[in-house]
Amino acid sequence: MKRSWFFVPVLAGLLLGGSLVAQNKAVPTKIGYIDAEKVVQAYPTYKNIKDIQTQAQNELKPLQDKLTPLQAKIQSGSATAKDQQDYQVMLKAYQEAAKKWQDKSQAALKPITEAIDKVISTVAQQQGFAMIFDKKVAASSGLVVYADESLDLTEAVIKALPK
Amino acid sequence: MAQNKSVPTEVGYVDSDLLLQAHPGFSKVKEIQGQAQAELNPLREQLQSLEAKSRAGNLSAKEQQDFQSLSKAYQDTLNRWQDKEDAVLGPITDQVNQAIAKTAQEQGFALVLDKRVAGTSGLVVYADASLDLTDAVVKAMPK
């Protein structure tokens, strides 16, 4: 009978230990990564961004085609005063057009990236990930030298995107 | 649960510079670097003295020409040695990366960071020394 007392603390210890383990499980510790570019391109309204980019190219290309020969002329020192003036006017037009399209593209991209960020956090929480890296930044910065493929959440995030 | 257990979760780090230097082929890289310096140093010294003269505004027409051709020679030499170094360093880097992947998989690490990038970028402000895989990777490298 006396012996049974020894079992009580052991049992309590086990129960306590068990509850601590259960608590630990709730804190996510996994680190995953995604190919953010791929996710953005998989977004249903991404074609709007591509349309904007195409329109921008269509408007900017002719301006660039006029600028390039003038620039060459100026560099070689054979530009007339009129050439110089044309160059300045055209450069201003080019920069303004480029800025206009950049703003448009950014405005269209913003709701997409915001929606994607939400999907990423949902997927991360569901699958118990504590932190998600951008694959490209992680690799090109030289920070991540090895990553297990099981941590790639790109496909899971793409599946969870709005249709 | 059982499935989760097989998914690695630990994050480790390695000193990539040290790993490269520990590779048996790295002595060849150092040799190339030494040869490159030996060829580049005299060119650089000539360039520097001409550059100083040029800044003071007293370069003769001939010296200006020398400066141009010397700059080009320096750049060409530099590129040539750089290409040589890259050719030797490429396979070494591949093998080091393979050793990192092998060690990480064996020891259940999910992610391995470069210690220098993690530190100098200011991203990682604390890392337990037990996560340092450098020595284990050195052991896994080709002899």
Side-chain angles (χ1 to χ4, degrees):
Chain A
M1 268 324 273
K2 233 180 165 187
R3 262 192 190 166
S4 67
W5 284 107
F6 283 101
F7 291 110
V8 177
V10 171
L11 197 66
L14 279 174
L15 285 171
L16 211 76
S19 73
L20 281 175
V21 168
Q23 217 174 5
N24 272 342
K25 259 177 209 154
V27 179
T29 56
K30 279 197 283 186
I31 295 183
Y33 59 91
I34 55 151
D35 185 335
E37 246 175 52
K38 217 170 138 185
V39 175
V40 170
Q41 283 165 12
Y43 200 82
T45 57
Y46 180 70
K47 65 171 185 354
N48 294 348
I49 309 287
K50 277 196 85 175
D51 286 346
I52 292 172
Q53 284 169 348
T54 312
Q55 286 169 6
Q57 277 312 307
N58 288 343
E59 193 177 319
L60 291 171
K61 182 84 176 27
L63 289 169
Q64 192 151 31
D65 287 346
K66 282 182 204 159
L67 274 171
T68 313
L70 280 174
Q71 201 168 19
K73 249 185 162 179
I74 290 168
Q75 259 161 12
S76 71
S78 60
T80 63
K82 190 185 168 302
D83 285 338
Q84 299 261 15
Q85 226 174 22
D86 286 351
Y87 179 75
Q88 290 306 329
V89 173
M90 220 122 41
L91 185 65
K92 198 165 175 299
Y94 179 83
Q95 282 165 344
E96 278 169 4
K99 169 105 179 47
K100 179 187 74 182
W101 285 109
Q102 180 111 45
D103 289 348
K104 265 194 190 175
S105 166
Q106 269 168 6
L109 206 54
K110 200 168 171 256
I112 296 181
T113 50
E114 281 173 359
I116 289 175
D117 281 345
K118 273 189 201 140
V119 173
I120 292 173
S121 47
T122 307
V123 172
Q125 280 161 20
Q126 278 169 355
Q127 303 202 14
F129 279 84
M131 211 185 262
I132 308 291
F133 286 171
D134 182 304
K135 186 180 175 180
K136 212 173 75 176
V137 178
S140 66
S141 63
L143 177 67
V144 174
V145 292
Y146 170 78
D148 196 277
E149 269 172 32
S150 66
L151 307 176
D152 189 346
L153 287 178
T154 311
E155 290 309 320
V157 170
I158 286 176
K159 266 187 206 144
L161 289 181
K163 295 292 173 289
Chain B
M1 269 305 289
Q3 220 179 357
N4 273 342
K5 256 179 205 157
S6 69
V7 177
T9 57
E10 270 184 293
V11 177
Y13 61 90
V14 292
D15 185 333
S16 301
D17 293 336
L18 220 131
L19 289 178
L20 286 176
Q21 284 161 20
H23 189 282
F26 192 75
S27 59
K28 183 90 183 98
V29 178
K30 279 193 83 171
E31 213 175 282
I32 291 172
Q33 285 171 346
Q35 287 169 346
Q37 281 312 310
E39 198 177 325
L40 286 168
N41 279 343
L43 288 171
R44 190 183 305 124
E45 279 160 24
Q46 281 174 294
L47 269 175
Q48 276 165 347
S49 73
L50 281 173
E51 208 166 19
K53 253 187 155 177
S54 160
R55 242 178 284 135
N58 45 17
L59 271 193
S60 68
K62 193 192 166 297
E63 282 172 327
Q64 239 166 36
Q65 233 172 19
D66 287 351
F67 185 68
Q68 292 301 329
S69 56
L70 220 60
S71 297
K72 196 178 173 306
Y74 182 82
Q75 198 58 52
D76 290 346
T77 312
L78 189 67
N79 289 342
R80 183 164 48 84
W81 283 110
Q82 189 82 57
D83 289 346
K84 265 193 193 178
E85 195 194 65
D86 288 347
V88 178
L89 207 51
I92 293 178
T93 312
D94 288 345
Q95 284 177 6
V96 167
N97 281 333
Q98 279 162 20
I100 294 172
K102 188 169 171 272
T103 308
Q105 281 158 15
E106 279 171 5
Q107 303 203 12
F109 279 83
L111 207 65
V112 180
L113 306 182
D114 183 300
K115 184 182 175 180
R116 197 169 43 87
V117 179
T120 56
S121 64
L123 179 67
V124 175
V125 292
Y126 170 78
D128 196 276
S130 68
L131 305 176
D132 190 345
L133 287 176
T134 310
D135 287 339
V137 175
V138 169
K139 278 179 199 141
M141 266 192 321
K143 295 292 174 294

